[in-house]
Amino acid sequence: MTAVGAVIHKIRDSVISPPSDEALEAVDELLPEGDEFVSYLLRFTALIALSAGIAAFGLLADSAAVVIGAMLVAPLMTPIVAAAAATVMARNVLLLRSLAVIVFGVVGAIAIGYLTALIAGAQLVSVTNLPNEVEARTFPGLLDLGIAITAGAAAGFILPRRSTTGALPGVGIAVALVPPLTTVGITLRVGADEAAANALLLFLTNLAAIIFAASVMLILAGFRPDGERRALARRLLVTIVAVVAVAVPLTLHTQTTIEEASLRRSVTSALNKAARASAF
C-alpha cells in the first residue's frame, strides 16, 4: 500500500469507527452535571470575571501582552467545544447547557468591560480616541473567519486526544473570545455603537466558525448521534448557515476596508506628486 493509500485508509477507518471510551469521557468531562455543574459554574464565573477584567485593563492600557494573558485565562473555549460535541452527537441537554453557559459568559464579559471603562477608562477613551488594541477588535474581516475556522479545527482535533491537550491554550491565544466582548462593553460605554457592533460581530464570527470546524473534526474522529443520523445533517446545516451569516458582513467589511486603503494610497500618492512638483 502506498503512503497516500495508507493515509486514505486511516481516515476512512477513523470516520467509520466509533470514538474510543477515552474520547467519549473527554466529551463528558467538558461540562459536568448535577452538583458538579454548580461548582463548575462558580469556577467559570470567577474565570470569566478575571479574564474580562484583565482584557479590559489591557485594552485600555493598549497592552497586547496583557490582552494575550486574558486569552489564556478565558474559559469560553470549553463550553464552545462542548456545543460542537453536542451538535455532532445530537445531545440536546448538553447543547442547551453549553449555549446557556456561553450566553452567561458573553453577558458577563461585556458587563465587566463596560464597568471597567466606567471606572478606569473615563479619561483614557472617547469615541474619537480609542486605544489601538480596542480599535483592532472593531475591524473584523475574512482573515478573522479563516483564523477562527482553523482554531476550531484544532480544538476539535485536540478534544478527543488527551495526549494533545497541552496545545489547547495555544488555540485560546490564536482566536479572540473575551477581548472582543470586553471591547463591546468599552465601546458601548463611550457611545461608539458601530464599533461595539463590529466587535460583537468578531466574537460571533469566532463562535460560529469554531463550532462548525470543531464539529467537522469530531465527525472525522468518528463521533455520531446515538439515534437518527438525519439530526446530524440538520445540526451541521445550522452551523453552516451561521458561518455564512457572519461571512456576508465580513466580506462587505473587508471590501470596504480594501477600498478605503486604496483611496488613502491614491490620495497620498497624489499629495506626494504635488509636493514634488511644487518643489521645482
Side-chain angles (χ1 to χ4, degrees):
M1 181 181 295
T2 64
V4 175
V7 171
I8 294 174
H9 183 73
K10 178 65 175 177
I11 293 175
R12 185 171 61 247
D13 286 348
S14 298
V15 173
I16 295 175
S17 303
S20 64
D21 292 340
E22 183 180 12
L24 292 174
E25 289 176 3
V27 172
D28 292 334
E29 291 172 359
L30 287 172
L31 290 183
E33 299 179 356
D35 294 337
E36 293 183 1
F37 178 73
V38 177
S39 299
Y40 164 81
L41 193 59
L42 292 175
R43 292 193 302 271
F44 178 88
T45 302
L47 287 175
I48 200 70
L50 292 171
S51 62
I54 295 170
F57 283 114
L59 291 168
L60 292 172
D62 213 8
S63 172
V66 176
V67 174
I68 291 173
M71 295 177 189
L72 284 170
V73 179
L76 274 172
M77 185 62 73
T78 298
I80 292 175
V81 175
T87 297
V88 171
M89 301 174 69
R91 294 173 58 176
N92 293 331
V93 174
L94 177 60
L95 179 60
L96 292 175
R97 192 161 67 247
S98 301
L99 294 177
V101 172
I102 292 170
V103 171
F104 176 73
V106 167
V107 174
I110 293 175
I112 293 294
Y114 187 95
L115 291 174
T116 304
L118 178 64
I119 297 171
Q123 305 300 323
L124 298 176
V125 295
S126 66
V127 177
T128 58
N129 186 30
L130 294 174
N132 292 331
E133 286 295 320
V134 174
E135 286 190 342
R137 285 156 182 86
T138 61
F139 290 93
L142 288 175
L143 288 178
D144 296 298
L145 179 61
I147 293 170
I149 289 176
T150 308
F157 178 84
I158 292 169
L159 173 60
R161 298 171 175 85
R162 293 180 185 271
S163 60
T164 61
T165 53
L168 196 56
V171 177
I173 295 175
V175 62
L177 293 172
V178 167
L181 293 174
T182 50
T183 298
V184 173
I186 291 170
T187 49
L188 284 176
R189 169 67 186 88
V190 299
D193 295 341
E194 183 177 354
N198 287 334
L200 183 60
L201 174 61
L202 176 58
F203 171 78
L204 294 177
T205 297
N206 293 333
L207 177 63
I210 291 172
I211 291 177
F212 167 72
S215 297
V216 172
M217 293 303 293
L218 289 173
I219 291 172
L220 293 177
F223 285 82
R224 294 291 188 281
D226 295 331
E228 179 59 53
R229 297 296 177 90
R230 283 182 295 184
L232 175 59
R234 290 194 297 269
R235 289 162 183 264
L236 280 180
L237 180 60
V238 172
T239 63
I240 293 172
V241 170
V243 172
V244 172
V246 297
V248 171
L250 287 178
T251 302
L252 296 175
H253 198 276
T254 300
Q255 183 178 1
T256 301
T257 302
I258 292 173
E259 291 174 352
E260 289 177 352
S262 178
L263 179 60
R264 283 195 297 269
R265 286 195 298 269
S266 299
V267 173
T268 301
S269 178
L271 290 175
N272 289 335
K273 289 181 180 179
R276 286 194 297 268
S278 63
F280 293 100

